[in-house]
Amino acid sequence: MDAGDTIVAMASAAQEGAARVVVRASGSGALRIAREMSDVGEVAGGSAVVAKVWPGVWRWVYAFVGPRSYTGEDSVELHVPGGHVGRMIVEEIVRRGLARPAEAGEFTARAYLNGRLDLTQAEGVAATISAAGERQARAARQLLSGELARRLSPVMEDLAALLALVEVGIDFSDEDVTFVAGEEVAERSGEAAGALDKLLAESVRFERLSAEPRIVLVGRPNAGKSTLVNALAGQARAVVSDVAGTTRDALSARVRLMRGAVVVVDVAGIAEGEEGVRGSGDEGSGGVTGVLTSVRHEGAPDGEEGLDAIERQMRERALREVAEADLVVLVRAVDDARAPVDLPRAPDLVITSKWDLDGNASGLALTVSALTGAGMDDLRTRLDEMAFGADVGGVLALNARHVAAVEAARAALGRVAESAALGPEVVALGLREALDALGDVLGRMSADDLLGRVFSQFCIGK
Ligand code: GDP
């Protein structure tokens, strides 16, 4: 028996212990699956019936006739109890040759190919599946709901209307009528460019969202940075020591905040230079320390050079971490009265550590004690806000493909503005380019589709 292009899979495969799973099939043979795997008899489109499903349980059977289904094809869903039964049913359907197992993303791919989803919505489905945190899931849901398409559509419609006017002007160039003035072209294409700029500025990159934000702690040796990392991570990760500078390398831990996970990195070596590693003689206040000192001793006779090299390496690495960080947090002990350390980049947040050493310190910006836990909840809340934004509701996340397309459209509109004097043909070319680039974002609308819509309202009778 030829299963044709009918595919089948469990739609909620990941939930092992789920009370109900959905076996979904799509394709020309889908309705036949409903008939053969249950006692529904003939099924009508859009129907939901309780029927006895192989191997003998009473369950809901949903049937959809294309194109009014998720995939746009004939589809059935068997809602059955538990993953175990679901898997058995899928295997039985395949064994009977009624369908072949679906490949990853195949239902969504069919939905896209059949025009049921635009490309951004299909990407939203993929992003939803792989979203790790609530913020990512929200951004994915926005894509899926067609938010990007909604934001782009008015821009595209206006550009298409403008292009139509310019093209009509070309067609009627022998006659003495002006359909659109040069200033209007400049103004309307400028507005479209502005709208695209705004879209780019207000959106975040999906890649950036998906990565866990990196928060780098900087400060003097002994400021309590590694103790903070441990306290945030909730388990002992860092080596903490009374000897200033014991934490000699970048140390990181994954920390779960309210809305997602971040990586907190404690880098040593940032403040080393100014602390005078080579010895102010004041070892206790931070500077030359255990590990480095022993390197110096072991490394003789070229210990000084070895020390220099290690110090340089550490500092370079620390600077790199700071440069690449999403957020830089300066940690300063409450009992440290020295001038602030010199940083290559302004910190996003300054916190005062070791609050317990000076109870009078309250009232300072953000004061914590990793030892007693005081202020730690505030710190978590603050980091969460800084890493994930005070309001995540409106975040529209674009992926690299969207950004490239919008930027291409933006560039084409820039050329339209410059080419106004070169004649309507050149202007039309630029507008068409911009529309095609934006059409690429949604993956199905071409400039011609849009023009067709605009011209159908035009009634020029030509
Ligand atoms: P780092 O060099 O900045 O990573 O500092 P550490 O985390 O290694 O801490 C240096 C010293 O300060 C250790 O002896 C810690 O026990 C101590 N320390 C860290 N946090 C606190 C705190 O909140 N209160 C007090 N009293 N001591 C702390």
Side-chain angles (χ1 to χ4, degrees):
M1 186 184 311
D2 181 15
D5 59 351
T6 305
I7 53 174
V8 64
M10 270 204 305
S12 41
Q15 291 144 349
E16 203 41 49
R20 189 176 83 156
V21 298
V22 177
V23 172
R24 183 192 269 170
S26 177
S28 55
L31 299 181
R32 177 165 170 206
I33 290 175
R35 286 195 301 270
E36 297 206 6
M37 296 299 292
S38 75
D39 65 354
V40 289
E42 279 307 312
V43 283
S47 64
V49 287
V50 175
K52 198 172 223 172
V53 174
W54 179 95
V57 279
W58 288 95
R59 286 296 142 185
W60 283 101
V61 176
Y62 293 80
F64 309 90
V65 172
R68 305 186 61 175
S69 71
Y70 175 76
T71 56
E73 306 172 329
D74 289 353
S75 306
V76 291
E77 287 182 3
L78 308 174
H79 291 230
V80 302
H84 179 63
V85 176
R87 249 189 314 277
M88 271 171 52
I89 293 177
V90 169
E91 279 166 18
E92 181 65 13
I93 289 171
V94 173
R95 195 189 65 74
R96 293 193 194 178
L98 295 169
R100 68 170 167 78
E103 285 162 28
E106 206 173 355
F107 288 98
T108 306
R110 288 182 177 208
Y112 166 63
L113 291 174
N114 290 322
R116 302 293 293 174
L117 296 174
D118 70 35
L119 206 47
T120 61
Q121 289 173 312
E123 282 166 337
V125 174
T128 306
I129 292 166
S130 62
E134 173 54 18
R135 187 177 62 136
Q136 282 141 263
R138 260 165 109 155
R141 279 200 296 276
Q142 281 217 312
L143 263 193
L144 186 54
S145 71
E147 179 63 22
L148 180 55
R150 239 192 319 281
R151 301 263 291 262
L152 284 180
S153 300
V155 180
M156 294 176 71
E157 307 237 337
D158 197 48
L159 286 176
L162 187 59
L163 175 58
L165 289 171
V166 173
E167 292 201 330
V168 171
I170 298 171
D171 290 346
F172 285 75
S173 56
D174 301 343
E175 293 158 44
D176 197 16
V177 273
T178 306
F179 288 90
V180 59
E183 301 89 68
E184 192 182 341
V185 172
E187 194 187 311
R188 285 171 68 176
S189 58
E191 274 169 16
L196 296 183
D197 284 342
K198 191 159 176 282
L199 179 76
L200 285 177
E202 288 174 354
S203 309
V204 288
R205 295 289 299 272
F206 223 102
E207 287 81 352
R208 205 173 159 83
L209 264 192
S210 321
E212 288 171 347
R214 255 179 119 71
I215 301 179
V216 168
L217 304 186
V218 294
R220 286 206 164 80
N222 237 7
K225 300 182 297 297
S226 29
T227 309
L228 266 180
V229 174
N230 285 343
L232 285 169
Q235 50 186 286
R237 299 254 181 142
V239 181
V240 179
S241 155
D242 284 341
V243 186
T246 306
T247 315
R248 300 316 312 175
D249 216 339
L251 161 163
S252 69
R254 189 163 183 273
V255 173
R256 272 215 73 79
L257 297 172
M258 295 75 159
R259 282 177 289 178
V262 295
V263 176
V264 180
V265 186
D266 160 25
V267 292
I270 254 316
E272 247 67 17
E274 70 166 38
E275 292 288 313
V277 171
R278 212 145 288 73
S280 56
D282 181 14
E283 310 246 318
S285 69
V288 184
T289 59
V291 173
L292 280 187
T293 313
S294 64
V295 169
R296 189 201 299 250
H297 291 163
E298 283 164 19
D302 60 0
E304 284 292 334
E305 276 170 34
L307 177 62
D308 272 356
I310 292 175
E311 186 197 328
R312 210 172 34 246
Q313 254 179 23
M314 270 173 29
R315 192 170 162 77
E316 275 166 18
R317 178 162 174 181
L319 288 174
R320 210 169 37 242
E321 281 283 0
V322 169
E324 289 169 5
D326 292 296
L327 294 169
V328 173
V329 176
L330 174 62
V331 182
R332 190 166 180 204
V334 73
D335 58 348
D336 182 355
R338 291 167 290 179
V341 288
D342 199 16
L343 292 175
R345 153 181 174 187
D348 301 282
L349 175 69
V350 180
I351 60 181
T352 304
S353 60
K354 308 193 190 181
W355 193 1
D356 54 288
L357 293 182
D358 182 0
N360 299 325
S362 64
L364 294 178
L366 187 56
T367 313
V368 302
S369 169
L371 211 63
T372 65
M376 290 300 287
D377 282 347
D378 287 347
L379 176 60
R380 285 172 176 280
T381 305
R382 199 54 201 281
L383 292 179
D384 188 71
E385 271 172 20
M386 293 195 336
F388 302 117
D391 172 26
V392 295
V395 173
L396 179 63
L398 306 184
N399 66 24
R401 192 181 67 77
H402 306 144
V403 172
V406 174
E407 281 175 347
R410 183 65 192 76
L413 288 176
R415 285 195 294 280
V416 166
E418 288 162 15
S419 63
L422 298 177
E425 287 84 358
V426 184
V427 169
L429 198 70
L431 288 173
R432 213 168 244 284
E433 245 180 85
L435 271 171
D436 282 342
L438 294 180
D440 277 349
V441 174
L442 306 182
R444 60 169 185 207
M445 235 180 283
S446 72
D448 284 329
D449 288 343
L450 272 171
L451 276 180
R453 257 158 71 189
V454 172
F455 273 120
S456 67
Q457 303 160 7
F458 236 71
C459 298
I460 289 264
K462 192 176 176 256

